[in-house]
Amino acid sequence: MTDYGEEQRNELEALESIYPDSFTVLSENPPSFTITVTSEAGENDETVQTTLKFTYSEKYPDEAPLYEIFSQENLEDNDVSAILKLLALQAEENLGMVMIFTLVTAVQEKLNEIVDQIKTRREEEKKQKEKEAEEAEKKLFHGTPVTIENFLSWKAKFDAELLEIKKKRMKEEEQAGKNKLSGKQLFETDHNLDTSDIQFLEDAGNNVEVDESLFQEMDDLELEDDEDDPDYNPADRGSDSSD
C-alpha cells in the first residue's frame, strides 16, 4: 500500500533544498506551497516571472496536484493561458510519480521562450516602424504613383467639385439678374434722376466756357447772294423751275 503522506513529505524537503529563495509553505494540511519561477534575463535585462501555487491532493502523486498561477509579472493573458495548458499536460504525463520539480522546470523553459518571443516581437515592431517611415518618406518626395483606379477616383471628386462651383455661380448670377433694375424702374424708385441733368446745368451757371475761336465772324463768311449778281433775272428762276 502506497504511503502518500511519506512521498509528499519527502518531495517537500527536496523542493525546499532546490528552491531555497523561492519556496514558501502556505499550509501543512492539506500541504500547500508556492514556488516563484523567473526567466533568464532577456534584452535590456528584462525578465518575466510567475509564482505557482501547488496543493497536494489526498492521493498525490497518483492524482495530479491542484495548481494555479498565484501572481505574475510582464506576462500577457495569452502567456498565462499557455502556462496553464502546459501544467495540465505535464501533470497528466507524470501521474504516479512526484512531479513538482518537472512541472516547475517546464514552466521555467516556457518563460525563457516568452522572453525570446518578446525580443523577436520588438525587433519586428522596430522593422515595421522603419518600413513605415521609409514608405512615408518615399511618398513625401515621390508622391503617390498614378494608377487607373486612383486617377478615376480623383477625377470623380474633381468633377463633383466643379459641378458644385458651376451651380453656385449660376445661382449667384440668377440672383443678381433678379435684383438688377431697368431704366424705368430706376426712375420710378429714384426721383432725383428726373432733374439730375437740369440740376447739373444750374450748378454749372456762368462757369460754362465757350471757345469762340471755333466760330468765325459772320462778316468774314463769303456768302453768295443771287440779288447781288448783275446778271440776275428773277424770270429765269421761274423758267428753271419749269424745266
Side-chain angles (χ1 to χ4, degrees):
M1 184 177 179
T2 304
D3 188 349
Y4 296 113
E6 182 68 20
E7 288 195 44
Q8 293 171 11
R9 284 190 295 272
N10 291 337
E11 184 178 39
L12 286 173
E13 291 177 3
L15 293 172
E16 189 173 6
S17 299
I18 296 171
Y19 307 106
D21 298 326
S22 59
F23 177 83
T24 304
V25 175
L26 300 178
S27 68
E28 294 182 356
N29 189 22
S32 180
F33 54 91
T34 62
I35 298 176
T36 299
V37 187
T38 305
S39 71
E40 295 177 356
E43 187 178 15
N44 300 322
D45 294 329
E46 185 178 36
T47 60
V48 293
Q49 177 178 288
T50 183
T51 297
L52 304 173
K53 178 183 177 181
F54 297 99
T55 302
Y56 286 149
S57 59
E58 184 179 353
K59 295 182 179 182
Y60 173 83
D62 286 340
E63 293 177 353
L66 301 177
Y67 52 84
E68 64 180 271
I69 293 181
F70 195 68
S71 64
Q72 59 87 11
E73 293 181 8
N74 302 325
L75 291 175
E76 303 289 342
D77 291 342
N78 60 325
D79 295 329
V80 172
S81 299
I83 291 172
L84 291 174
K85 290 180 181 179
L86 175 64
L87 288 170
L89 179 62
Q90 290 294 321
E92 184 178 355
E93 291 179 353
N94 291 277
L95 285 176
M97 63 185 76
V98 291
M99 64 180 75
I100 301 302
F101 176 78
T102 302
L103 298 182
V104 172
T105 300
V107 172
Q108 174 80 57
E109 293 175 353
K110 184 63 178 178
L111 294 182
N112 292 338
E113 291 179 7
I114 292 172
V115 169
D116 291 338
Q117 291 171 359
I118 292 175
K119 178 181 179 182
T120 301
R121 184 166 60 247
R122 287 181 175 174
E123 289 177 350
E124 291 176 351
E125 290 175 353
K126 182 180 179 181
K127 290 180 180 179
Q128 181 64 26
K129 289 181 179 179
E130 291 176 351
K131 182 179 179 181
E132 291 175 355
E134 184 178 350
E135 291 177 351
E137 186 177 359
K138 286 182 179 179
K139 287 184 178 180
L140 180 64
F141 290 100
H142 301 289
T144 303
V146 177
T147 63
I148 295 177
E149 290 77 11
N150 59 30
F151 172 75
L152 292 177
S153 176
W154 169 85
K155 188 176 186 302
K157 183 179 179 181
F158 175 78
D159 290 343
E161 293 177 352
L162 185 61
L163 181 60
E164 287 298 321
I165 293 174
K166 288 182 177 179
K167 287 182 178 180
K168 183 179 180 181
R169 184 176 298 173
M170 291 176 64
K171 186 175 181 180
E172 292 175 351
E173 291 177 352
E174 181 180 355
Q175 188 64 33
K178 290 181 180 179
N179 296 334
K180 187 176 181 181
L181 298 177
S182 64
K184 180 179 180 182
Q185 290 173 324
L186 287 173
F187 274 102
E188 289 176 347
T189 56
D190 188 356
H191 295 290
N192 291 329
L193 296 176
D194 297 346
T195 58
S196 60
D197 292 344
I198 297 175
Q199 186 65 41
F200 171 76
L201 294 176
E202 290 178 350
D203 293 341
N206 296 327
N207 294 325
V208 178
E209 297 181 358
V210 178
D211 188 357
E212 297 180 358
S213 65
L214 298 176
F215 301 92
Q216 296 181 355
E217 293 292 342
M218 294 299 295
D219 294 341
D220 295 336
L221 296 179
E222 295 181 358
L223 299 178
E224 293 184 358
D225 190 348
D226 291 340
E227 295 181 356
D228 293 338
D229 186 356
D231 298 326
Y232 169 71
N233 185 353
D236 293 339
R237 180 181 299 271
S239 63
D240 291 339
S241 61
S242 62
D243 293 339

mmCIF file of all heavy atoms in Angstrom, residues 178-196:
data_model
loop_
_atom_site.group_PDB
_atom_site.id
_atom_site.type_symbol
_atom_site.label_atom_id
_atom_site.label_comp_id
_atom_site.label_asym_id
_atom_site.label_seq_id
_atom_site.Cartn_x
_atom_site.Cartn_y
_atom_site.Cartn_z
ATOM 1 N N LYS A 178 -32.132 89.002 -60.939
ATOM 2 C CA LYS A 178 -33.407 89.371 -60.325
ATOM 3 C C LYS A 178 -33.311 90.722 -59.625
ATOM 4 O O LYS A 178 -34.278 91.480 -59.592
ATOM 5 C CB LYS A 178 -33.822 88.301 -59.315
ATOM 6 C CG LYS A 178 -34.230 86.983 -59.954
ATOM 7 C CD LYS A 178 -34.641 85.980 -58.889
ATOM 8 C CE LYS A 178 -35.063 84.652 -59.522
ATOM 9 N NZ LYS A 178 -35.443 83.650 -58.485
ATOM 10 N N ASN A 179 -32.167 91.040 -59.078
ATOM 11 C CA ASN A 179 -32.003 92.276 -58.326
ATOM 12 C C ASN A 179 -31.684 93.476 -59.208
ATOM 13 O O ASN A 179 -31.728 94.613 -58.739
ATOM 14 C CB ASN A 179 -30.885 92.109 -57.288
ATOM 15 C CG ASN A 179 -31.241 91.048 -56.248
ATOM 16 O OD1 ASN A 179 -32.410 90.783 -56.000
ATOM 17 N ND2 ASN A 179 -30.216 90.453 -55.645
ATOM 18 N N LYS A 180 -31.329 93.268 -60.508
ATOM 19 C CA LYS A 180 -30.970 94.367 -61.404
ATOM 20 C C LYS A 180 -32.219 95.091 -61.881
ATOM 21 O O LYS A 180 -33.155 94.473 -62.389
ATOM 22 C CB LYS A 180 -30.187 93.821 -62.602
ATOM 23 C CG LYS A 180 -29.635 94.901 -63.501
ATOM 24 C CD LYS A 180 -28.796 94.299 -64.607
ATOM 25 C CE LYS A 180 -28.212 95.366 -65.499
ATOM 26 N NZ LYS A 180 -27.408 94.785 -66.586
ATOM 27 N N LEU A 181 -32.258 96.442 -61.776
ATOM 28 C CA LEU A 181 -33.419 97.246 -62.156
ATOM 29 C C LEU A 181 -33.257 97.794 -63.570
ATOM 30 O O LEU A 181 -32.145 98.106 -63.999
ATOM 31 C CB LEU A 181 -33.580 98.410 -61.172
ATOM 32 C CG LEU A 181 -33.836 98.014 -59.703
ATOM 33 C CD1 LEU A 181 -33.909 99.271 -58.846
ATOM 34 C CD2 LEU A 181 -35.100 97.181 -59.576
ATOM 35 N N SER A 182 -34.380 97.910 -64.272
ATOM 36 C CA SER A 182 -34.374 98.520 -65.613
ATOM 37 C C SER A 182 -34.300 100.042 -65.466
ATOM 38 O O SER A 182 -34.422 100.586 -64.357
ATOM 39 C CB SER A 182 -35.647 98.133 -66.366
ATOM 40 O OG SER A 182 -36.781 98.661 -65.715
ATOM 41 N N GLY A 183 -34.112 100.757 -66.619
ATOM 42 C CA GLY A 183 -34.043 102.213 -66.565
ATOM 43 C C GLY A 183 -35.327 102.822 -66.029
ATOM 44 O O GLY A 183 -35.306 103.757 -65.231
ATOM 45 N N LYS A 184 -36.456 102.265 -66.449
ATOM 46 C CA LYS A 184 -37.745 102.763 -65.979
ATOM 47 C C LYS A 184 -37.889 102.569 -64.473
ATOM 48 O O LYS A 184 -38.351 103.467 -63.761
ATOM 49 C CB LYS A 184 -38.867 102.037 -66.728
ATOM 50 C CG LYS A 184 -40.262 102.479 -66.307
ATOM 51 C CD LYS A 184 -41.321 101.746 -67.089
ATOM 52 C CE LYS A 184 -42.720 102.202 -66.663
ATOM 53 N NZ LYS A 184 -43.773 101.462 -67.397
ATOM 54 N N GLN A 185 -37.454 101.374 -64.010
ATOM 55 C CA GLN A 185 -37.558 101.089 -62.584
ATOM 56 C C GLN A 185 -36.647 102.014 -61.771
ATOM 57 O O GLN A 185 -36.995 102.424 -60.675
ATOM 58 C CB GLN A 185 -37.188 99.629 -62.315
ATOM 59 C CG GLN A 185 -38.239 98.640 -62.837
ATOM 60 C CD GLN A 185 -37.768 97.204 -62.708
ATOM 61 O OE1 GLN A 185 -36.576 96.932 -62.881
ATOM 62 N NE2 GLN A 185 -38.700 96.299 -62.429
ATOM 63 N N LEU A 186 -35.467 102.363 -62.351
ATOM 64 C CA LEU A 186 -34.567 103.280 -61.662
ATOM 65 C C LEU A 186 -35.209 104.644 -61.474
ATOM 66 O O LEU A 186 -35.108 105.258 -60.415
ATOM 67 C CB LEU A 186 -33.244 103.405 -62.428
ATOM 68 C CG LEU A 186 -32.300 102.211 -62.359
ATOM 69 C CD1 LEU A 186 -31.135 102.420 -63.300
ATOM 70 C CD2 LEU A 186 -31.801 102.023 -60.932
ATOM 71 N N PHE A 187 -35.861 105.169 -62.554
ATOM 72 C CA PHE A 187 -36.524 106.462 -62.466
ATOM 73 C C PHE A 187 -37.708 106.417 -61.515
ATOM 74 O O PHE A 187 -38.012 107.384 -60.838
ATOM 75 C CB PHE A 187 -36.979 106.924 -63.862
ATOM 76 C CG PHE A 187 -35.902 107.641 -64.614
ATOM 77 C CD1 PHE A 187 -35.200 106.990 -65.606
ATOM 78 C CD2 PHE A 187 -35.573 108.967 -64.313
ATOM 79 C CE1 PHE A 187 -34.194 107.636 -66.301
ATOM 80 C CE2 PHE A 187 -34.565 109.621 -65.009
ATOM 81 C CZ PHE A 187 -33.868 108.960 -66.007
ATOM 82 N N GLU A 188 -38.405 105.284 -61.475
ATOM 83 C CA GLU A 188 -39.570 105.159 -60.606
ATOM 84 C C GLU A 188 -39.154 105.087 -59.134
ATOM 85 O O GLU A 188 -39.884 105.549 -58.254
ATOM 86 C CB GLU A 188 -40.370 103.915 -60.973
ATOM 87 C CG GLU A 188 -41.088 104.058 -62.315
ATOM 88 C CD GLU A 188 -41.795 102.778 -62.702
ATOM 89 O OE1 GLU A 188 -41.516 101.742 -62.057
ATOM 90 O OE2 GLU A 188 -42.627 102.807 -63.634
ATOM 91 N N THR A 189 -37.993 104.499 -58.875
ATOM 92 C CA THR A 189 -37.550 104.340 -57.485
ATOM 93 C C THR A 189 -36.702 105.509 -57.014
ATOM 94 O O THR A 189 -36.648 105.783 -55.814
ATOM 95 C CB THR A 189 -36.745 103.038 -57.330
ATOM 96 O OG1 THR A 189 -35.652 103.048 -58.257
ATOM 97 C CG2 THR A 189 -37.625 101.831 -57.596
ATOM 98 N N ASP A 190 -36.017 106.228 -57.934
ATOM 99 C CA ASP A 190 -35.149 107.354 -57.554
ATOM 100 C C ASP A 190 -35.577 108.591 -58.338
ATOM 101 O O ASP A 190 -35.194 108.778 -59.489
ATOM 102 C CB ASP A 190 -33.686 107.026 -57.853
ATOM 103 C CG ASP A 190 -32.737 108.093 -57.295
ATOM 104 O OD1 ASP A 190 -33.233 109.101 -56.750
ATOM 105 O OD2 ASP A 190 -31.516 107.903 -57.431
ATOM 106 N N HIS A 191 -36.416 109.475 -57.726
ATOM 107 C CA HIS A 191 -36.954 110.648 -58.434
ATOM 108 C C HIS A 191 -35.907 111.723 -58.645
ATOM 109 O O HIS A 191 -36.136 112.662 -59.393
ATOM 110 C CB HIS A 191 -38.131 111.230 -57.636
ATOM 111 C CG HIS A 191 -39.309 110.290 -57.566
ATOM 112 N ND1 HIS A 191 -40.105 109.989 -58.648
ATOM 113 C CD2 HIS A 191 -39.786 109.562 -56.518
ATOM 114 C CE1 HIS A 191 -41.040 109.124 -58.292
ATOM 115 N NE2 HIS A 191 -40.862 108.836 -56.994
ATOM 116 N N ASN A 192 -34.778 111.601 -58.026
ATOM 117 C CA ASN A 192 -33.705 112.580 -58.260
ATOM 118 C C ASN A 192 -33.190 112.510 -59.694
ATOM 119 O O ASN A 192 -32.618 113.469 -60.203
ATOM 120 C CB ASN A 192 -32.550 112.345 -57.290
ATOM 121 C CG ASN A 192 -32.938 112.696 -55.855
ATOM 122 O OD1 ASN A 192 -33.759 113.588 -55.626
ATOM 123 N ND2 ASN A 192 -32.345 111.987 -54.895
ATOM 124 N N LEU A 193 -33.374 111.377 -60.341
ATOM 125 C CA LEU A 193 -32.897 111.233 -61.709
ATOM 126 C C LEU A 193 -33.689 112.102 -62.679
ATOM 127 O O LEU A 193 -33.214 112.415 -63.771
ATOM 128 C CB LEU A 193 -32.987 109.762 -62.139
ATOM 129 C CG LEU A 193 -32.100 108.788 -61.354
ATOM 130 C CD1 LEU A 193 -32.360 107.359 -61.811
ATOM 131 C CD2 LEU A 193 -30.638 109.146 -61.554
ATOM 132 N N ASP A 194 -34.945 112.492 -62.299
ATOM 133 C CA ASP A 194 -35.774 113.303 -63.193
ATOM 134 C C ASP A 194 -35.139 114.661 -63.438
ATOM 135 O O ASP A 194 -35.244 115.235 -64.527
ATOM 136 C CB ASP A 194 -37.173 113.511 -62.587
ATOM 137 C CG ASP A 194 -37.902 112.185 -62.437
ATOM 138 O OD1 ASP A 194 -37.428 111.203 -63.039
ATOM 139 O OD2 ASP A 194 -38.917 112.134 -61.713
ATOM 140 N N THR A 195 -34.497 115.207 -62.427
ATOM 141 C CA THR A 195 -33.973 116.580 -62.534
ATOM 142 C C THR A 195 -32.458 116.610 -62.482
ATOM 143 O O THR A 195 -31.881 117.676 -62.337
ATOM 144 C CB THR A 195 -34.548 117.434 -61.384
ATOM 145 O OG1 THR A 195 -34.168 116.817 -60.149
ATOM 146 C CG2 THR A 195 -36.056 117.520 -61.458
ATOM 147 N N SER A 196 -31.830 115.471 -62.608
ATOM 148 C CA SER A 196 -30.382 115.434 -62.448
ATOM 149 C C SER A 196 -29.659 116.256 -63.514
ATOM 150 O O SER A 196 -28.718 116.982 -63.207
ATOM 151 C CB SER A 196 -29.888 113.987 -62.478
ATOM 152 O OG SER A 196 -30.227 113.373 -63.721
#
